[in-house]
Amino acid sequence: MHENGLIPVLNPSRIFLDERSESVTGSVVTAVVEGSRPFLVELQGLVSPTSFGIPRRTVSGINLSRASIVIAVLERRLNLRFGSDDIYINVVGGVDIDEPSADLAIAMALLSCFKNKKMIPETVVFGEIGLGGEIRAVSQPEIRLSEAEKLGFKRVIMPAGNVKVKNKKIEVIGVSNLAEAASLSLV
Amino acid sequence: MHENGLIPVLNPSRIFLDERSESVTGSVVTAVVEGSRPFLVELQGLVSPTSFGIPRRTVSGINLSRASIVIAVLERRLNLRFGSDDIYINVVGGVDIDEPSADLAIAMALLSCFKNKKMIPETVVFGEIGLGGEIRAVSQPEIRLSEAEKLGFKRVIMPAGNVKVKNKKIEVIGVSNLAEAASLSLV
Amino acid sequence: MHENGLIPVLNPSRIFLDERSESVTGSVVTAVVEGSRPFLVELQGLVSPTSFGIPRRTVSGINLSRASIVIAVLERRLNLRFGSDDIYINVVGGVDIDEPSADLAIAMALLSCFKNKKMIPETVVFGEIGLGGEIRAVSQPEIRLSEAEKLGFKRVIMPAGNVKVKNKKIEVIGVSNLAEAASLSLV
Amino acid sequence: MHENGLIPVLNPSRIFLDERSESVTGSVVTAVVEGSRPFLVELQGLVSPTSFGIPRRTVSGINLSRASIVIAVLERRLNLRFGSDDIYINVVGGVDIDEPSADLAIAMALLSCFKNKKMIPETVVFGEIGLGGEIRAVSQPEIRLSEAEKLGFKRVIMPAGNVKVKNKKIEVIGVSNLAEAASLSLV
Amino acid sequence: MHENGLIPVLNPSRIFLDERSESVTGSVVTAVVEGSRPFLVELQGLVSPTSFGIPRRTVSGINLSRASIVIAVLERRLNLRFGSDDIYINVVGGVDIDEPSADLAIAMALLSCFKNKKMIPETVVFGEIGLGGEIRAVSQPEIRLSEAEKLGFKRVIMPAGNVKVKNKKIEVIGVSNLAEAASLSLV
Amino acid sequence: MHENGLIPVLNPSRIFLDERSESVTGSVVTAVVEGSRPFLVELQGLVSPTSFGIPRRTVSGINLSRASIVIAVLERRLNLRFGSDDIYINVVGGVDIDEPSADLAIAMALLSCFKNKKMIPETVVFGEIGLGGEIRAVSQPEIRLSEAEKLGFKRVIMPAGNVKVKNKKIEVIGVSNLAEAASLSLV
C-alpha cells in the first residue's frame, strides 16, 4: 500500500501525510507556513480519563501554553469538561509548529477524541482561535490552500475571514466560530 | 464580509484586526511599538470560575510576571477578587508583546470579562499601569495615535501624561488611574 | 571476547553496540540519522514498582515529552498500566536522540521490561508512533537499513509504510501498529 | 499638567519619572548606571495580606533572588514580618535593573507600604544592602548624584561610604544602616 | 607534604588529585576525556539518612539525570535502598563532566559510602553503566589508561570490553557488571 | 571615615571591601580569580529560624547547588543541624562567583552566624571543600595571597595543600579540614 518510502523525497509534505489514519478519531491535517513555504502536517489528540489525581497535559511539537488556551476555549465555549481527562497532543514527523494557525486543528483533534467522532475525510483544517471561540483569519491563506490542493485533498475548513473566492478544484468551507467548525468537521 | 484575506498584506496591523469581535466581552485593541514601527494588536481576556483547586493563569503572547502585576493591581485598587477564577490572556495573531504599554489593555480586557461589559467600540487603549493603579505615560505616543487613526479607529484611551493636543481626526481621552479608565472604557 | 576497544574507531556505530546485552530484557537497538549519517544505538528501559508515592520517569538521551507520549500510547493502546511503576530510559554511549524514529524502540524496550520478555536477537527496530498506536513511516529508511546490514544484523522491524522491496541480505519486517510490533519483536 | 509626552525625548530619565506619584506609599526613585550612563527610575512596592495560603512574591524588572535577600534583611534587621503578605515589586517603564545599588530603593518601597508612610518628596535613594542591614557603597556615586541634580531632585539618600563632599545644589544624606535609612526616608 | 601548590601547573590532572583522601569512604578517581585530552578527576559521594521527608539528591559537576539513572541501577541490580537517604555527588576542582564514562566512578563512590568501605588505593575507575547493571565499553580507553599510568596510579578498573592487552606498568582489571566492579573496587 | 567613594577606582578589589563590617557575624572576605586577575570579595551569611514550614535557601552571587553541597558537609562533618533554619548567602558588590575556591568562605560565613562568633579580623579565607570535610588546594594560590597582602590584610586561612613558604608580610595559615578551619577562623 505504502510504496513510496524509499523514493527520493519530492514533496516534503507527502512523507508526513502518507501514513495518516483517517479511520481513527483524533487525527487532523493542518497547513502551516514556515517562512514562505507551506507544508501539511498531521496533528493527533488523545483524551482519556486520568489515572492519577492531577490530569496530565503532554504535548509534542506544539507549545503547551497555546494548547492550554485552546483547551480552555473548548471548555468555555462548547461547554466541554476536560477536568478529569489526560490530554495528549502530538505533531507527526517530529515537526515543531510555532504559529496560531494550528489552533483549529488542535481543537478539532481534541473534539474528535472527546466526541468519539472522526474528522470528515480528505480535509485540511487551519485557523487561529480567539478566546471568544471565534475563528480568526491567518496570514498567507493562499499558499496553504494551494498546498492542500496539490497534495490531493478535497476540502479545506478555514477561517471565514480568509475565504475570498471559491477555489475551483478544492472545496473551501469558511467557518467563523468553534461551534460551526465542530458541526462541519466531524462525521 | 472579510474580503482581504487573499490580498497582499499592505498594512500588517490590518490583518490582526479585521477579525476583531467587538460584540464580545474581553476584547481590547492596543497599540505597541517594535523598534520605531507601531502596530495595533488585539488582546483578549477570559475570566471564569476555576474548575480545579488552584486558579490557573495562562497567557499567550505576554509575560506572565507582567500579567500577575496587572492582576494584583486590579485586585487591590478596584477591589476585585480573582482568587477563585481561572484567567486566560491571549494576544491575537501570534504576536509577542514585550512592553508595559500593553498593561492598560490587559487590565481592560480582564475587567470587561469580569464585569461582563463590552469595550466601547472603535477604540484603541494603551498605557503602563503602576502599582498604585495610576496610568503612566509611555514612549512614542504619537506614532501609536497615528497608527490608530490610519486604521480608522475613532477613539484612543491613553495616559493623561501623554496627551498634548487634541488630535483632530481621532478622539483622545487621557486617563490617569485605573478607576477612570474603567469608567470610560466599558459600555 | 570484546577485543576491539583499543582498535582505532573504524565504525562509530560499532563501539556503541559491541557491549549490547541481548540476554537481558529492556534492551533494543535502533537506527537514527544525524544529518545524512545513519548510526545504530542501543536503548534500554527499566520498569519496576515505584518505591515512592509518585512514580518516577527518568530519561537520559531522549526527550521526556516524547517518552511521555510513548508511555501514554502503550497504556491506551495495549492496555498496560504504568501508574505504580518507576520508568527509566537510557541511550547507551551518551548519545542524544532527537527524532521520533526512536519511538518504536522506546516502546519495545519498555514492553520488554514490562512483559519480562527479551527482544528477538540480531534485530534493529525503528519507527515513529502515532497516538492511535499506528507505526508511521520515517525519513531515510534506506540508509538505516544499510547501516543495520553493514553491522551484521539479521532483521529489521520497521514501519510497513517504509517497506518497499525485500532486501536480500537482511530480513525486513514491516509493522503497522504497536500490537503487531509487540507480537513480532519479543521472544 | 504633563505636557511633554509628544516632545522629542531630550532626557531619557525624564520620561520615566514625570508620572511619579509622590502622593502614594510604596513609590521610590533610584539612580542606576548602565555602562557609564546614569538614569533615574521609579520603583514601586505593594504589600498586602495574602489571599491564598502561600504568600506571593511577584517582581517585574528586578531579580527575584535579590528581592528575596532584601525582604529577608528587612525581616531580620527591622523585625518586620512579611510571612502573611503578598509582595509585588515593579520597575516603572519596563526597565530591567541588574545592579545591587537598587537594594535600598527596594527596601524603602516595601517599608513605605508596610508602614503606610510616604517617602519624603523630591528624593533619590540608592545603595546596596548587606545581610547585616548595613548600607554598602556602590560604584560611580558621582554620576548618580549629578543625574539626580540635573533632573531637579532636592535630596539624595545614599551610602555613608559614598559621601565625600556635600554637593552644593542637592542635599546629600549618608546612611550606614537600614534603620537609619528608614528613619530618614519616610515621612 | 603537599609542596607543589605554588609550582607552575605542569600537569593539570595533578592539581585535582594531590589532595585526594584515600583514607575516607566515598572518594573515587576517574579518567575523563575532553576533546582528545584525558585528565583524571576525583569524584566524591555522600550518603546519609535524610533529615527531611523527601530525600535530597544534590550534585555538583555532573548531570542530575545521569546520577538518577546510576542510583536507580544500584537500587535494582545490587538491591540497595536509597529511599530514605540524602545523596550528594561532588566533582572536585569545579570540573563539569559530561560523558557517561564517569558512571562507574559515581556508582563506586555511592557504594563506598553506603557500605562504609574505602576504595582500594591507587586506583582509577571508568566505565559506562547500562540499565541492566552491565559495564559498557567507552571511547578512547587507551589515553585514559596512559594518563592513569603517567600520574603514578597502580591499577585501573575499567570495562571488560575495553581491555585488550595487559599494560605492563599498570594493572588493568576488566569488569563486566556492577556486582563484579563492587567486589573488586572496595576494600 | 569612608572617603574614597568619589575617587577614581584605582583598585577594583578595594571598593568591594571598604565597607566590610568586621563587627558583625557572618561576614567573610575571600579571594577569587577571574581569568588571571585576582580580586577580593566579601561573602555574607545569614542563618535564622525559619518562619515557614520549609526552610529557605536563598543565594545571590553564588550557585545554589554549590551552596547546598557546602551546607550538607557542614551538617555531616561538624554535626550542625540547619533543618529548621532559613539560610541566606550574599556576595557583596553584585559579583558572581563561579569557582569552588569560595567554598571555605561560604562555610565560615554560615558557621559564624550559626555559632554567633565573628571571624578573626583582617583575614582572607579561601579553599575548596570536599564531601569528607577536607580543604582542597585551589589553583593560583600565589596571586590570591598577593592580592590579600596588597590590600593590607594581615592573615590568610587557606588550604594546607597550597602552603609552600611562609610569606613574610602576611601570616599564612594552612588548614586541612573544616574542623581545623573553624577553630582557627572564629573569635
Side-chain angles (χ1 to χ4, degrees), chain A residues 143-181:
Chain A
I143 63 174
R144 299 177 203 257
L145 258 181
S146 305
E147 185 72 8
E149 188 183 308
K150 188 164 70 184
L151 288 172
F153 283 81
K154 301 215 176 107
R155 198 174 297 103
V156 174
I157 294 176
M158 58 187 272
N162 280 142
V163 177
K164 197 188 171 194
V165 283
K166 298 280 180 194
N167 185 305
K168 284 139 205 165
K169 298 194 198 140
I170 193 167
E171 182 186 4
V172 173
I173 301 172
V175 289
S176 50
N177 59 59
L178 259 185
E180 205 179 318

Side-chain angles (χ1 to χ4, degrees), chain C residues 2-3 5-7 15-16 19-21 42 44-46 48-49 52 56 58-60 86 88-94, chain E residues 55 65-66 68-69 72 75-77 83 100 128-132 134-137 139 141-142 160-164:
Chain C
H2 299 281
E3 299 280 277
L6 303 182
I7 293 169
I15 70 159
F16 295 128
E19 299 298 309
R20 78 180 187 279
S21 39
E42 181 184 345
Q44 300 182 314
L46 178 55
S48 66
F52 296 99
R56 282 181 290 188
T58 304
V59 299
S60 177
D86 288 341
Y88 298 88
I89 302 168
N90 182 40
V91 180
V92 174
Chain E
S65 299
R66 201 68 216 158
S68 300
I69 294 276
E75 290 184 327
R76 310 298 165 189
R77 304 303 171 194
E128 182 176 350
I129 295 179
L131 291 186
E134 80 277 17
I135 311 302
R136 325 269 320 195
S139 63
E142 283 171 320
N162 280 139
V163 177
K164 195 187 170 194

Side-chain angles (χ1 to χ4, degrees), chain C:
Chain C
M1 197 184 301
H2 299 281
E3 299 280 277
N4 64 310
L6 303 182
I7 293 169
V9 180
L10 295 174
N11 186 317
S13 281
R14 187 172 295 273
I15 70 159
F16 295 128
L17 293 173
D18 274 357
E19 299 298 309
R20 78 180 187 279
S21 39
E22 297 194 325
S23 53
V24 298
T25 59
S27 168
V28 177
V29 177
T30 192
V32 294
V33 176
E34 203 173 84
S36 61
R37 198 176 69 82
F39 62 103
L40 302 190
V41 70
E42 181 184 345
L43 267 110
Q44 300 182 314
L46 178 55
V47 177
S48 66
T50 185
S51 41
F52 296 99
I54 302 160
R56 282 181 290 188
R57 275 88 181 90
T58 304
V59 299
S60 177
I62 61 167
N63 186 279
L64 185 55
S65 299
R66 201 68 216 158
S68 300
I69 294 276
V70 172
I71 292 166
V73 175
L74 284 169
E75 290 184 327
R76 309 299 163 189
R77 304 302 171 196
L78 297 186
N79 290 308
L80 307 177
R81 292 268 79 87
F82 293 112
S84 55
D85 287 311
D86 288 341
I87 294 180
Y88 298 88
I89 302 168
N90 182 40
V91 180
V92 174
V95 177
D96 284 317
I97 301 181
D98 196 28
E99 51 162 350
S101 71
D103 286 358
L104 187 55
I106 296 170
M108 292 303 107
L110 296 178
L111 199 62
S112 165
C113 297
F114 193 85
K115 298 266 186 199
N116 202 24
K117 292 182 176 177
K118 293 173 202 163
M119 278 293 292
I120 53 171
E122 302 294 324
T123 305
V124 168
V125 171
F126 65 83
E128 182 176 352
I129 296 178
L131 291 186
E134 80 277 17
I135 310 302
R136 325 269 319 194
V138 302
S139 63
Q140 297 173 276
E142 283 171 318
I143 64 174
R144 299 178 203 256
L145 258 181
S146 305
E147 185 71 8
E149 189 184 307
K150 188 165 68 183
L151 288 172
F153 283 81
K154 301 215 176 107
R155 199 173 297 102
V156 174
I157 295 176
M158 57 187 273
N162 280 140
V163 177
K164 196 186 170 196
V165 283
K166 298 281 180 193
N167 184 305
K168 284 139 205 165
K169 298 193 198 141
I170 193 166
E171 182 186 3
V172 173
I173 302 172
V175 289
S176 51
N177 59 59
L178 259 185
E180 205 179 318
S183 72
L184 290 166
S185 296
L186 303 180
V187 178

Side-chain angles (χ1 to χ4, degrees), chain D residues 55 65-66 68-69 72 75-77 83 100 128-131 134-137 139 141-142 161-164, chain F residues 2-3 5-6 16 19-21 42 44-46 48-49 52 56 58-60 86 88-90 92-94:
Chain D
S65 299
R66 201 68 217 159
S68 300
I69 294 276
E75 289 184 326
R76 309 298 165 191
R77 304 302 171 196
E128 182 175 351
I129 296 178
L131 291 186
E134 79 277 16
I135 311 302
R136 326 267 322 193
S139 62
E142 283 171 320
N162 280 141
V163 176
K164 195 187 170 194
Chain F
H2 299 281
E3 299 280 277
L6 303 183
F16 295 128
E19 298 298 309
R20 77 182 187 277
S21 39
E42 181 185 344
Q44 302 183 311
L46 179 55
S48 67
F52 296 99
R56 283 179 289 185
T58 305
V59 299
S60 177
D86 288 340
Y88 297 88
I89 302 168
N90 181 39
V92 174

Side-chain angles (χ1 to χ4, degrees), chain F residues 1-22:
Chain F
M1 196 182 303
H2 299 281
E3 299 280 277
N4 65 311
L6 303 183
I7 294 169
V9 180
L10 295 172
N11 186 316
S13 280
R14 188 172 294 275
I15 69 158
F16 295 128
L17 293 172
D18 274 357
E19 298 298 309
R20 77 182 187 277
S21 39
E22 297 193 326

